[in-house]
Amino acid sequence: MTRHLFARTSMKLFGLALGFCLFALAFLSSIALGQTPIALDTVADAFFAYDPSSTDHLIIRTTRISRALIAAVIGASLAVAGALMQALTRNPLASPSIFGINAGALFFIVMAATFFSVTSLVHYMWIGFAGAAIAGVLVYLLGSMGRDGLSPVRVVLAGAAITALFVSITQGLLVVDQQGLEGVLFWIAGSVTGRTIEMLEPVLPFMIGAGALAFLLGNHINILLSGEDTAKGLGQRTVLVKLLIGFAVVLLAGGSVAVAGSIGFVGLVVPHIVRALVGIDYRWIIPYCVLCGASLLLAADVAARFLIMPQEVPIGVMTAFIGTPFFLYLARKGFGSHGS
């Protein structure tokens, strides 16, 4: 038994090492590939022998590195947020958007552009982060109403209600002021183009803290998934655990939406891929989601550069190409529960 457990642990550690190698390959591809291809030796020189007079070095230092870092952080955050959402709601089709986070961030940004003529991406970031947090709090409060308190079904229903409310108002604002909102349309589709490290820095501590919290909650999530009564019988404070999970989701997905806009399906697809690899132990699911989510969004960003060159497809559109068939497959397969 001990030998079998050691072998399984060794395989999962090997998988993490392999996942890191794939992430490193995706990261280097993001830096080297694009409308202006750059050789790998030039990429290495840009890090270790920087020449300010080199155009390639300038492209790498000023654009490519920041874009790759942002895509990696956003992909990892959305994947972990999706895994947490599926654990919280026990719904295999759940993703951060079910919490109303994308819709809340989008609504607040469109409202700011309409009524306050906000055009700065940095301002959009903070407004979107606030909108995502407010939406998450509203969903939690609505889902907690009643004698039975917070439950997976109520969270889903509350998320659907808040999402419908914000989306309908947002669509009304877009109809009223189409010309004035041209600047936010690319953000709405989801993009890492034009984002800088300075935009990521303010929310990065929140996202790192939420990721660490998710990792620390791994064993508690395993106990929670064994059943509400079982978890309480083992002394777990289930309401507190659910609250912490929701808090981590708001920080991870809210920060992602605030920086890169509405990028869907990463939080849906990656947790399912990871569970197929490592099972349902969240102590392993969280770190695997970090690597797989980052790699997936980096690969999607690279593909987005070549699809309609010299123009770029918004990365949110690329993830939809990947995620929509996967969503239909899951819906058709008819998962009955989170642990299926």
Side-chain angles (χ1 to χ4, degrees):
M1 182 67 179
T2 304
R3 182 179 299 177
H4 180 62
L5 180 61
F6 177 77
R8 290 176 59 186
T9 302
S10 298
M11 285 298 296
K12 289 176 181 177
L13 288 173
F14 175 76
L16 277 179
L18 181 60
F20 182 80
C21 292
L22 291 174
F23 163 72
L25 178 61
F27 192 87
L28 285 175
S29 298
S30 180
I31 295 175
L33 300 177
Q35 194 169 353
T36 304
I38 300 174
L40 289 180
D41 57 343
T42 304
V43 173
D45 289 340
F47 282 98
F48 303 111
Y50 178 60
D51 180 5
S53 63
S54 170
T55 302
D56 287 343
H57 288 195
L58 285 173
I59 291 174
I60 292 170
R61 285 291 191 98
T62 60
T63 304
R64 297 277 179 90
I65 291 178
S66 59
R67 181 169 179 170
L69 283 172
I70 290 172
V73 171
I74 299 303
S77 298
L78 289 174
V80 173
L84 294 178
M85 278 301 303
Q86 289 168 17
L88 180 64
T89 64
R90 298 192 183 184
N91 183 347
L93 299 179
S95 65
S97 58
I98 203 172
F99 221 52
I101 288 175
N102 287 12
L106 176 59
F107 166 68
F108 274 76
I109 285 176
V110 171
M111 187 172 65
T114 302
F115 295 109
F116 302 103
S117 301
V118 176
T119 57
S120 168
L121 284 176
V122 176
H123 292 157
Y124 285 157
M125 177 197 68
W126 282 112
I127 293 167
F129 192 58
I134 291 171
V137 170
L138 288 174
V139 170
Y140 176 78
L141 292 176
L142 287 175
S144 301
M145 289 182 177
R147 289 184 303 174
D148 297 332
L150 188 69
S151 69
V153 174
R154 291 189 180 195
V155 169
V156 172
L157 293 176
I162 292 297
T163 299
L165 174 64
F166 282 148
V167 167
S168 62
I169 299 175
T170 300
Q171 289 174 342
L173 292 175
L174 287 170
V175 170
V176 170
D177 188 19
Q178 293 180 4
Q179 185 175 359
L181 294 174
E182 288 181 0
V184 302
L185 292 180
F186 203 68
W187 182 94
I188 291 172
S191 175
V192 294
T193 304
R195 272 57 171 177
T196 63
I197 292 297
E198 287 71 24
M199 290 185 62
L200 181 64
E201 285 175 349
V203 297
L204 186 60
F206 297 103
M207 299 168 80
I208 292 175
L213 175 61
F215 183 78
L216 293 174
L217 286 172
N219 194 49
H220 295 283
I221 295 174
N222 291 339
I223 296 173
L224 185 65
L225 290 175
S226 65
E228 191 88 10
D229 294 335
T230 302
K232 289 180 178 179
L234 292 172
Q236 185 180 86
R237 300 169 63 183
T238 57
V239 173
L240 177 60
V241 172
K242 291 176 182 179
L243 180 61
L244 291 174
I245 293 173
F247 180 66
V249 169
V250 168
L251 292 182
L252 289 168
S256 300
V257 173
V259 174
S262 182
I263 298 176
F265 292 105
V266 175
L268 172 68
V269 173
V270 174
H272 283 280
I273 295 174
V274 168
R275 278 194 291 270
L277 295 173
V278 300
I280 59 173
D281 188 344
Y282 268 75
R283 293 173 298 180
W284 291 101
I285 286 175
I286 299 301
Y288 266 79
C289 278
V290 169
L291 292 174
C292 292
S295 300
L296 176 64
L297 204 61
L298 283 166
D301 184 40
V302 172
R305 305 174 193 179
F306 293 95
L307 200 61
I308 55 170
M309 285 186 68
Q311 302 297 319
E312 290 191 17
V313 175
I315 195 170
V317 176
M318 290 301 302
T319 57
F321 284 153
I322 299 170
T324 300
F326 192 84
F327 179 87
L328 294 175
Y329 165 75
L330 290 177
R332 185 178 179 87
K333 193 171 182 179
F335 283 91
S337 65
H338 169 75
S340 296

PDB file of all heavy atoms in Angstrom, residues 117-154:
ATOM      1  N   SER A 117     -16.916  59.013 -18.915  1.00  0.00           N
ATOM      2  CA  SER A 117     -15.964  59.148 -20.037  1.00  0.00           C
ATOM      3  C   SER A 117     -14.572  58.612 -19.690  1.00  0.00           C
ATOM      4  O   SER A 117     -13.546  59.189 -20.074  1.00  0.00           O
ATOM      5  CB  SER A 117     -15.860  60.622 -20.457  1.00  0.00           C
ATOM      6  OG  SER A 117     -17.127  61.101 -20.853  1.00  0.00           O
ATOM      7  N   VAL A 118     -14.526  57.517 -18.960  1.00  0.00           N
ATOM      8  CA  VAL A 118     -13.251  56.895 -18.614  1.00  0.00           C
ATOM      9  C   VAL A 118     -12.700  56.170 -19.839  1.00  0.00           C
ATOM     10  O   VAL A 118     -13.433  55.425 -20.501  1.00  0.00           O
ATOM     11  CB  VAL A 118     -13.425  55.906 -17.441  1.00  0.00           C
ATOM     12  CG1 VAL A 118     -12.111  55.186 -17.150  1.00  0.00           C
ATOM     13  CG2 VAL A 118     -13.927  56.634 -16.212  1.00  0.00           C
ATOM     14  N   THR A 119     -11.428  56.390 -20.154  1.00  0.00           N
ATOM     15  CA  THR A 119     -10.813  55.743 -21.320  1.00  0.00           C
ATOM     16  C   THR A 119      -9.510  55.032 -20.975  1.00  0.00           C
ATOM     17  O   THR A 119      -8.984  54.284 -21.794  1.00  0.00           O
ATOM     18  CB  THR A 119     -10.531  56.775 -22.423  1.00  0.00           C
ATOM     19  OG1 THR A 119      -9.688  57.809 -21.899  1.00  0.00           O
ATOM     20  CG2 THR A 119     -11.825  57.404 -22.932  1.00  0.00           C
ATOM     21  N   SER A 120      -8.968  55.247 -19.802  1.00  0.00           N
ATOM     22  CA  SER A 120      -7.677  54.670 -19.426  1.00  0.00           C
ATOM     23  C   SER A 120      -7.811  53.196 -19.090  1.00  0.00           C
ATOM     24  O   SER A 120      -8.706  52.792 -18.335  1.00  0.00           O
ATOM     25  CB  SER A 120      -7.101  55.428 -18.225  1.00  0.00           C
ATOM     26  OG  SER A 120      -6.003  54.729 -17.671  1.00  0.00           O
ATOM     27  N   LEU A 121      -6.894  52.381 -19.641  1.00  0.00           N
ATOM     28  CA  LEU A 121      -6.903  50.957 -19.331  1.00  0.00           C
ATOM     29  C   LEU A 121      -6.617  50.708 -17.858  1.00  0.00           C
ATOM     30  O   LEU A 121      -7.149  49.769 -17.260  1.00  0.00           O
ATOM     31  CB  LEU A 121      -5.863  50.229 -20.194  1.00  0.00           C
ATOM     32  CG  LEU A 121      -6.217  49.994 -21.669  1.00  0.00           C
ATOM     33  CD1 LEU A 121      -5.041  49.355 -22.381  1.00  0.00           C
ATOM     34  CD2 LEU A 121      -7.447  49.129 -21.802  1.00  0.00           C
ATOM     35  N   VAL A 122      -5.781  51.552 -17.259  1.00  0.00           N
ATOM     36  CA  VAL A 122      -5.477  51.396 -15.838  1.00  0.00           C
ATOM     37  C   VAL A 122      -6.728  51.647 -14.995  1.00  0.00           C
ATOM     38  O   VAL A 122      -7.021  50.923 -14.045  1.00  0.00           O
ATOM     39  CB  VAL A 122      -4.343  52.353 -15.417  1.00  0.00           C
ATOM     40  CG1 VAL A 122      -4.098  52.271 -13.910  1.00  0.00           C
ATOM     41  CG2 VAL A 122      -3.063  52.029 -16.174  1.00  0.00           C
ATOM     42  N   HIS A 123      -7.493  52.671 -15.374  1.00  0.00           N
ATOM     43  CA  HIS A 123      -8.752  52.945 -14.671  1.00  0.00           C
ATOM     44  C   HIS A 123      -9.754  51.806 -14.880  1.00  0.00           C
ATOM     45  O   HIS A 123     -10.470  51.421 -13.950  1.00  0.00           O
ATOM     46  CB  HIS A 123      -9.340  54.270 -15.143  1.00  0.00           C
ATOM     47  CG  HIS A 123      -8.530  55.458 -14.739  1.00  0.00           C
ATOM     48  ND1 HIS A 123      -8.582  56.669 -15.399  1.00  0.00           N
ATOM     49  CD2 HIS A 123      -7.627  55.629 -13.737  1.00  0.00           C
ATOM     50  CE1 HIS A 123      -7.762  57.517 -14.830  1.00  0.00           C
ATOM     51  NE2 HIS A 123      -7.159  56.910 -13.820  1.00  0.00           N
ATOM     52  N   TYR A 124      -9.811  51.282 -16.110  1.00  0.00           N
ATOM     53  CA  TYR A 124     -10.675  50.136 -16.375  1.00  0.00           C
ATOM     54  C   TYR A 124     -10.340  48.977 -15.450  1.00  0.00           C
ATOM     55  O   TYR A 124     -11.222  48.262 -14.963  1.00  0.00           O
ATOM     56  CB  TYR A 124     -10.528  49.669 -17.820  1.00  0.00           C
ATOM     57  CG  TYR A 124     -11.197  50.534 -18.847  1.00  0.00           C
ATOM     58  CD1 TYR A 124     -10.767  50.530 -20.172  1.00  0.00           C
ATOM     59  CD2 TYR A 124     -12.262  51.353 -18.519  1.00  0.00           C
ATOM     60  CE1 TYR A 124     -11.374  51.313 -21.128  1.00  0.00           C
ATOM     61  CE2 TYR A 124     -12.882  52.143 -19.466  1.00  0.00           C
ATOM     62  CZ  TYR A 124     -12.435  52.128 -20.777  1.00  0.00           C
ATOM     63  OH  TYR A 124     -13.033  52.909 -21.718  1.00  0.00           O
ATOM     64  N   MET A 125      -9.042  48.785 -15.221  1.00  0.00           N
ATOM     65  CA  MET A 125      -8.589  47.674 -14.394  1.00  0.00           C
ATOM     66  C   MET A 125      -9.159  47.781 -12.981  1.00  0.00           C
ATOM     67  O   MET A 125      -9.750  46.837 -12.457  1.00  0.00           O
ATOM     68  CB  MET A 125      -7.066  47.657 -14.342  1.00  0.00           C
ATOM     69  CG  MET A 125      -6.478  46.578 -13.451  1.00  0.00           C
ATOM     70  SD  MET A 125      -4.756  46.945 -13.062  1.00  0.00           S
ATOM     71  CE  MET A 125      -4.943  48.401 -12.034  1.00  0.00           C
ATOM     72  N   TRP A 126      -9.006  48.946 -12.351  1.00  0.00           N
ATOM     73  CA  TRP A 126      -9.489  49.122 -10.984  1.00  0.00           C
ATOM     74  C   TRP A 126     -11.012  49.081 -10.916  1.00  0.00           C
ATOM     75  O   TRP A 126     -11.588  48.498  -9.992  1.00  0.00           O
ATOM     76  CB  TRP A 126      -8.970  50.438 -10.409  1.00  0.00           C
ATOM     77  CG  TRP A 126      -7.545  50.355  -9.971  1.00  0.00           C
ATOM     78  CD1 TRP A 126      -6.471  50.980 -10.533  1.00  0.00           C
ATOM     79  CD2 TRP A 126      -7.031  49.578  -8.884  1.00  0.00           C
ATOM     80  NE1 TRP A 126      -5.321  50.643  -9.864  1.00  0.00           N
ATOM     81  CE2 TRP A 126      -5.634  49.785  -8.845  1.00  0.00           C
ATOM     82  CE3 TRP A 126      -7.609  48.726  -7.947  1.00  0.00           C
ATOM     83  CZ2 TRP A 126      -4.815  49.174  -7.904  1.00  0.00           C
ATOM     84  CZ3 TRP A 126      -6.796  48.110  -6.998  1.00  0.00           C
ATOM     85  CH2 TRP A 126      -5.417  48.343  -6.985  1.00  0.00           C
ATOM     86  N   ILE A 127     -11.669  49.679 -11.897  1.00  0.00           N
ATOM     87  CA  ILE A 127     -13.135  49.671 -11.921  1.00  0.00           C
ATOM     88  C   ILE A 127     -13.643  48.246 -12.109  1.00  0.00           C
ATOM     89  O   ILE A 127     -14.599  47.810 -11.452  1.00  0.00           O
ATOM     90  CB  ILE A 127     -13.652  50.599 -13.034  1.00  0.00           C
ATOM     91  CG1 ILE A 127     -13.315  52.048 -12.697  1.00  0.00           C
ATOM     92  CG2 ILE A 127     -15.159  50.448 -13.221  1.00  0.00           C
ATOM     93  CD1 ILE A 127     -13.503  53.005 -13.863  1.00  0.00           C
ATOM     94  N   GLY A 128     -13.020  47.512 -13.017  1.00  0.00           N
ATOM     95  CA  GLY A 128     -13.421  46.132 -13.250  1.00  0.00           C
ATOM     96  C   GLY A 128     -13.200  45.259 -12.027  1.00  0.00           C
ATOM     97  O   GLY A 128     -14.021  44.394 -11.710  1.00  0.00           O
ATOM     98  N   PHE A 129     -12.103  45.465 -11.334  1.00  0.00           N
ATOM     99  CA  PHE A 129     -11.812  44.701 -10.128  1.00  0.00           C
ATOM    100  C   PHE A 129     -12.870  44.968  -9.060  1.00  0.00           C
ATOM    101  O   PHE A 129     -13.359  44.045  -8.403  1.00  0.00           O
ATOM    102  CB  PHE A 129     -10.428  45.084  -9.609  1.00  0.00           C
ATOM    103  CG  PHE A 129      -9.908  44.159  -8.541  1.00  0.00           C
ATOM    104  CD1 PHE A 129      -9.762  42.807  -8.787  1.00  0.00           C
ATOM    105  CD2 PHE A 129      -9.546  44.644  -7.295  1.00  0.00           C
ATOM    106  CE1 PHE A 129      -9.274  41.948  -7.811  1.00  0.00           C
ATOM    107  CE2 PHE A 129      -9.059  43.796  -6.316  1.00  0.00           C
ATOM    108  CZ  PHE A 129      -8.915  42.458  -6.566  1.00  0.00           C
ATOM    109  N   ALA A 130     -13.241  46.237  -8.907  1.00  0.00           N
ATOM    110  CA  ALA A 130     -14.283  46.588  -7.936  1.00  0.00           C
ATOM    111  C   ALA A 130     -15.622  45.982  -8.327  1.00  0.00           C
ATOM    112  O   ALA A 130     -16.355  45.447  -7.478  1.00  0.00           O
ATOM    113  CB  ALA A 130     -14.399  48.114  -7.831  1.00  0.00           C
ATOM    114  N   GLY A 131     -15.958  46.041  -9.619  1.00  0.00           N
ATOM    115  CA  GLY A 131     -17.222  45.472 -10.087  1.00  0.00           C
ATOM    116  C   GLY A 131     -17.284  43.977  -9.872  1.00  0.00           C
ATOM    117  O   GLY A 131     -18.332  43.430  -9.480  1.00  0.00           O
ATOM    118  N   ALA A 132     -16.171  43.296 -10.112  1.00  0.00           N
ATOM    119  CA  ALA A 132     -16.135  41.852  -9.903  1.00  0.00           C
ATOM    120  C   ALA A 132     -16.338  41.512  -8.427  1.00  0.00           C
ATOM    121  O   ALA A 132     -17.065  40.577  -8.082  1.00  0.00           O
ATOM    122  CB  ALA A 132     -14.803  41.291 -10.395  1.00  0.00           C
ATOM    123  N   ALA A 133     -15.692  42.268  -7.554  1.00  0.00           N
ATOM    124  CA  ALA A 133     -15.823  42.022  -6.118  1.00  0.00           C
ATOM    125  C   ALA A 133     -17.255  42.267  -5.643  1.00  0.00           C
ATOM    126  O   ALA A 133     -17.809  41.478  -4.863  1.00  0.00           O
ATOM    127  CB  ALA A 133     -14.854  42.909  -5.346  1.00  0.00           C
ATOM    128  N   ILE A 134     -17.858  43.355  -6.129  1.00  0.00           N
ATOM    129  CA  ILE A 134     -19.240  43.665  -5.730  1.00  0.00           C
ATOM    130  C   ILE A 134     -20.197  42.573  -6.205  1.00  0.00           C
ATOM    131  O   ILE A 134     -21.089  42.138  -5.470  1.00  0.00           O
ATOM    132  CB  ILE A 134     -19.653  45.044  -6.282  1.00  0.00           C
ATOM    133  CG1 ILE A 134     -18.870  46.142  -5.550  1.00  0.00           C
ATOM    134  CG2 ILE A 134     -21.157  45.269  -6.129  1.00  0.00           C
ATOM    135  CD1 ILE A 134     -19.039  47.513  -6.146  1.00  0.00           C
ATOM    136  N   ALA A 135     -20.006  42.113  -7.430  1.00  0.00           N
ATOM    137  CA  ALA A 135     -20.854  41.038  -7.951  1.00  0.00           C
ATOM    138  C   ALA A 135     -20.707  39.773  -7.114  1.00  0.00           C
ATOM    139  O   ALA A 135     -21.697  39.095  -6.798  1.00  0.00           O
ATOM    140  CB  ALA A 135     -20.501  40.756  -9.407  1.00  0.00           C
ATOM    141  N   GLY A 136     -19.480  39.436  -6.739  1.00  0.00           N
ATOM    142  CA  GLY A 136     -19.251  38.253  -5.924  1.00  0.00           C
ATOM    143  C   GLY A 136     -19.924  38.351  -4.563  1.00  0.00           C
ATOM    144  O   GLY A 136     -20.513  37.381  -4.071  1.00  0.00           O
ATOM    145  N   VAL A 137     -19.842  39.530  -3.947  1.00  0.00           N
ATOM    146  CA  VAL A 137     -20.491  39.735  -2.644  1.00  0.00           C
ATOM    147  C   VAL A 137     -22.011  39.617  -2.767  1.00  0.00           C
ATOM    148  O   VAL A 137     -22.678  38.998  -1.924  1.00  0.00           O
ATOM    149  CB  VAL A 137     -20.102  41.114  -2.065  1.00  0.00           C
ATOM    150  CG1 VAL A 137     -20.949  41.437  -0.835  1.00  0.00           C
ATOM    151  CG2 VAL A 137     -18.623  41.135  -1.706  1.00  0.00           C
ATOM    152  N   LEU A 138     -22.580  40.206  -3.827  1.00  0.00           N
ATOM    153  CA  LEU A 138     -24.021  40.120  -4.040  1.00  0.00           C
ATOM    154  C   LEU A 138     -24.480  38.671  -4.213  1.00  0.00           C
ATOM    155  O   LEU A 138     -25.500  38.254  -3.653  1.00  0.00           O
ATOM    156  CB  LEU A 138     -24.421  40.944  -5.266  1.00  0.00           C
ATOM    157  CG  LEU A 138     -24.369  42.469  -5.116  1.00  0.00           C
ATOM    158  CD1 LEU A 138     -24.652  43.136  -6.456  1.00  0.00           C
ATOM    159  CD2 LEU A 138     -25.363  42.939  -4.062  1.00  0.00           C
ATOM    160  N   VAL A 139     -23.706  37.902  -4.978  1.00  0.00           N
ATOM    161  CA  VAL A 139     -24.058  36.494  -5.181  1.00  0.00           C
ATOM    162  C   VAL A 139     -23.995  35.733  -3.859  1.00  0.00           C
ATOM    163  O   VAL A 139     -24.881  34.919  -3.538  1.00  0.00           O
ATOM    164  CB  VAL A 139     -23.123  35.851  -6.225  1.00  0.00           C
ATOM    165  CG1 VAL A 139     -23.316  34.335  -6.253  1.00  0.00           C
ATOM    166  CG2 VAL A 139     -23.388  36.429  -7.605  1.00  0.00           C
ATOM    167  N   TYR A 140     -22.974  36.012  -3.071  1.00  0.00           N
ATOM    168  CA  TYR A 140     -22.850  35.320  -1.776  1.00  0.00           C
ATOM    169  C   TYR A 140     -24.015  35.669  -0.853  1.00  0.00           C
ATOM    170  O   TYR A 140     -24.593  34.793  -0.201  1.00  0.00           O
ATOM    171  CB  TYR A 140     -21.529  35.688  -1.106  1.00  0.00           C
ATOM    172  CG  TYR A 140     -21.385  35.078   0.267  1.00  0.00           C
ATOM    173  CD1 TYR A 140     -21.030  33.746   0.421  1.00  0.00           C
ATOM    174  CD2 TYR A 140     -21.626  35.846   1.409  1.00  0.00           C
ATOM    175  CE1 TYR A 140     -20.917  33.181   1.683  1.00  0.00           C
ATOM    176  CE2 TYR A 140     -21.513  35.285   2.670  1.00  0.00           C
ATOM    177  CZ  TYR A 140     -21.158  33.960   2.804  1.00  0.00           C
ATOM    178  OH  TYR A 140     -21.059  33.404   4.054  1.00  0.00           O
ATOM    179  N   LEU A 141     -24.375  36.960  -0.807  1.00  0.00           N
ATOM    180  CA  LEU A 141     -25.470  37.386   0.069  1.00  0.00           C
ATOM    181  C   LEU A 141     -26.799  36.763  -0.373  1.00  0.00           C
ATOM    182  O   LEU A 141     -27.574  36.271   0.451  1.00  0.00           O
ATOM    183  CB  LEU A 141     -25.568  38.906   0.078  1.00  0.00           C
ATOM    184  CG  LEU A 141     -24.401  39.643   0.751  1.00  0.00           C
ATOM    185  CD1 LEU A 141     -24.571  41.153   0.608  1.00  0.00           C
ATOM    186  CD2 LEU A 141     -24.281  39.262   2.215  1.00  0.00           C
ATOM    187  N   LEU A 142     -27.054  36.773  -1.687  1.00  0.00           N
ATOM    188  CA  LEU A 142     -28.293  36.179  -2.187  1.00  0.00           C
ATOM    189  C   LEU A 142     -28.318  34.673  -1.946  1.00  0.00           C
ATOM    190  O   LEU A 142     -29.347  34.103  -1.594  1.00  0.00           O
ATOM    191  CB  LEU A 142     -28.454  36.473  -3.683  1.00  0.00           C
ATOM    192  CG  LEU A 142     -28.831  37.905  -4.070  1.00  0.00           C
ATOM    193  CD1 LEU A 142     -28.823  38.063  -5.582  1.00  0.00           C
ATOM    194  CD2 LEU A 142     -30.199  38.274  -3.506  1.00  0.00           C
ATOM    195  N   GLY A 143     -27.173  34.025  -2.154  1.00  0.00           N
ATOM    196  CA  GLY A 143     -27.097  32.581  -1.967  1.00  0.00           C
ATOM    197  C   GLY A 143     -27.196  32.150  -0.517  1.00  0.00           C
ATOM    198  O   GLY A 143     -27.459  30.989  -0.221  1.00  0.00           O
ATOM    199  N   SER A 144     -26.974  33.103   0.414  1.00  0.00           N
ATOM    200  CA  SER A 144     -27.016  32.780   1.839  1.00  0.00           C
ATOM    201  C   SER A 144     -28.374  33.023   2.466  1.00  0.00           C
ATOM    202  O   SER A 144     -28.578  32.707   3.642  1.00  0.00           O
ATOM    203  CB  SER A 144     -25.964  33.616   2.590  1.00  0.00           C
ATOM    204  OG  SER A 144     -24.680  33.377   2.088  1.00  0.00           O
ATOM    205  N   MET A 145     -29.292  33.618   1.715  1.00  0.00           N
ATOM    206  CA  MET A 145     -30.607  33.928   2.283  1.00  0.00           C
ATOM    207  C   MET A 145     -31.404  32.645   2.564  1.00  0.00           C
ATOM    208  O   MET A 145     -31.253  31.652   1.861  1.00  0.00           O
ATOM    209  CB  MET A 145     -31.399  34.824   1.325  1.00  0.00           C
ATOM    210  CG  MET A 145     -30.877  36.240   1.232  1.00  0.00           C
ATOM    211  SD  MET A 145     -31.887  37.258   0.132  1.00  0.00           S
ATOM    212  CE  MET A 145     -31.092  38.854   0.320  1.00  0.00           C
ATOM    213  N   GLY A 146     -32.240  32.716   3.566  1.00  0.00           N
ATOM    214  CA  GLY A 146     -33.081  31.560   3.900  1.00  0.00           C
ATOM    215  C   GLY A 146     -32.569  30.813   5.109  1.00  0.00           C
ATOM    216  O   GLY A 146     -31.444  31.021   5.587  1.00  0.00           O
ATOM    217  N   ARG A 147     -33.356  29.909   5.598  1.00  0.00           N
ATOM    218  CA  ARG A 147     -33.009  29.184   6.818  1.00  0.00           C
ATOM    219  C   ARG A 147     -31.847  28.219   6.617  1.00  0.00           C
ATOM    220  O   ARG A 147     -31.057  27.985   7.521  1.00  0.00           O
ATOM    221  CB  ARG A 147     -34.234  28.396   7.314  1.00  0.00           C
ATOM    222  CG  ARG A 147     -35.348  29.281   7.883  1.00  0.00           C
ATOM    223  CD  ARG A 147     -36.472  28.438   8.431  1.00  0.00           C
ATOM    224  NE  ARG A 147     -37.029  27.540   7.410  1.00  0.00           N
ATOM    225  CZ  ARG A 147     -37.943  26.621   7.662  1.00  0.00           C
ATOM    226  NH1 ARG A 147     -38.389  26.449   8.906  1.00  0.00           N
ATOM    227  NH2 ARG A 147     -38.418  25.851   6.692  1.00  0.00           N
ATOM    228  N   ASP A 148     -31.726  27.656   5.415  1.00  0.00           N
ATOM    229  CA  ASP A 148     -30.688  26.652   5.171  1.00  0.00           C
ATOM    230  C   ASP A 148     -29.318  27.264   4.906  1.00  0.00           C
ATOM    231  O   ASP A 148     -28.317  26.556   4.841  1.00  0.00           O
ATOM    232  CB  ASP A 148     -31.089  25.763   3.982  1.00  0.00           C
ATOM    233  CG  ASP A 148     -32.361  24.983   4.268  1.00  0.00           C
ATOM    234  OD1 ASP A 148     -32.612  24.715   5.464  1.00  0.00           O
ATOM    235  OD2 ASP A 148     -33.101  24.671   3.316  1.00  0.00           O
ATOM    236  N   GLY A 149     -29.269  28.584   4.731  1.00  0.00           N
ATOM    237  CA  GLY A 149     -28.000  29.248   4.483  1.00  0.00           C
ATOM    238  C   GLY A 149     -27.447  28.972   3.093  1.00  0.00           C
ATOM    239  O   GLY A 149     -28.173  28.590   2.172  1.00  0.00           O
ATOM    240  N   LEU A 150     -26.124  29.124   2.972  1.00  0.00           N
ATOM    241  CA  LEU A 150     -25.453  28.982   1.679  1.00  0.00           C
ATOM    242  C   LEU A 150     -25.504  27.537   1.198  1.00  0.00           C
ATOM    243  O   LEU A 150     -25.209  26.612   1.938  1.00  0.00           O
ATOM    244  CB  LEU A 150     -23.998  29.435   1.805  1.00  0.00           C
ATOM    245  CG  LEU A 150     -23.190  29.533   0.515  1.00  0.00           C
ATOM    246  CD1 LEU A 150     -23.706  30.687  -0.336  1.00  0.00           C
ATOM    247  CD2 LEU A 150     -21.711  29.738   0.835  1.00  0.00           C
ATOM    248  N   SER A 151     -25.895  27.355  -0.071  1.00  0.00           N
ATOM    249  CA  SER A 151     -25.927  26.021  -0.656  1.00  0.00           C
ATOM    250  C   SER A 151     -25.489  26.117  -2.114  1.00  0.00           C
ATOM    251  O   SER A 151     -25.601  27.177  -2.730  1.00  0.00           O
ATOM    252  CB  SER A 151     -27.336  25.424  -0.588  1.00  0.00           C
ATOM    253  OG  SER A 151     -28.215  26.116  -1.460  1.00  0.00           O
ATOM    254  N   PRO A 152     -24.964  25.016  -2.686  1.00  0.00           N
ATOM    255  CA  PRO A 152     -24.512  25.058  -4.076  1.00  0.00           C
ATOM    256  C   PRO A 152     -25.596  25.499  -5.049  1.00  0.00           C
ATOM    257  O   PRO A 152     -25.335  26.287  -5.961  1.00  0.00           O
ATOM    258  CB  PRO A 152     -24.082  23.609  -4.339  1.00  0.00           C
ATOM    259  CG  PRO A 152     -23.720  23.079  -2.998  1.00  0.00           C
ATOM    260  CD  PRO A 152     -24.651  23.741  -2.040  1.00  0.00           C
ATOM    261  N   VAL A 153     -26.822  25.003  -4.859  1.00  0.00           N
ATOM    262  CA  VAL A 153     -27.906  25.366  -5.777  1.00  0.00           C
ATOM    263  C   VAL A 153     -28.217  26.844  -5.684  1.00  0.00           C
ATOM    264  O   VAL A 153     -28.409  27.526  -6.693  1.00  0.00           O
ATOM    265  CB  VAL A 153     -29.163  24.527  -5.475  1.00  0.00           C
ATOM    266  CG1 VAL A 153     -30.332  24.993  -6.328  1.00  0.00           C
ATOM    267  CG2 VAL A 153     -28.894  23.048  -5.723  1.00  0.00           C
ATOM    268  N   ARG A 154     -28.253  27.372  -4.464  1.00  0.00           N
ATOM    269  CA  ARG A 154     -28.561  28.789  -4.300  1.00  0.00           C
ATOM    270  C   ARG A 154     -27.467  29.678  -4.878  1.00  0.00           C
ATOM    271  O   ARG A 154     -27.749  30.748  -5.411  1.00  0.00           O
ATOM    272  CB  ARG A 154     -28.761  29.103  -2.815  1.00  0.00           C
ATOM    273  CG  ARG A 154     -30.021  28.468  -2.245  1.00  0.00           C
ATOM    274  CD  ARG A 154     -30.310  28.961  -0.859  1.00  0.00           C
ATOM    275  NE  ARG A 154     -31.511  28.337  -0.334  1.00  0.00           N
ATOM    276  CZ  ARG A 154     -32.162  28.780   0.732  1.00  0.00           C
ATOM    277  NH1 ARG A 154     -31.729  29.838   1.362  1.00  0.00           N
ATOM    278  NH2 ARG A 154     -33.245  28.155   1.158  1.00  0.00           N
TER     279      ARG A 154
END
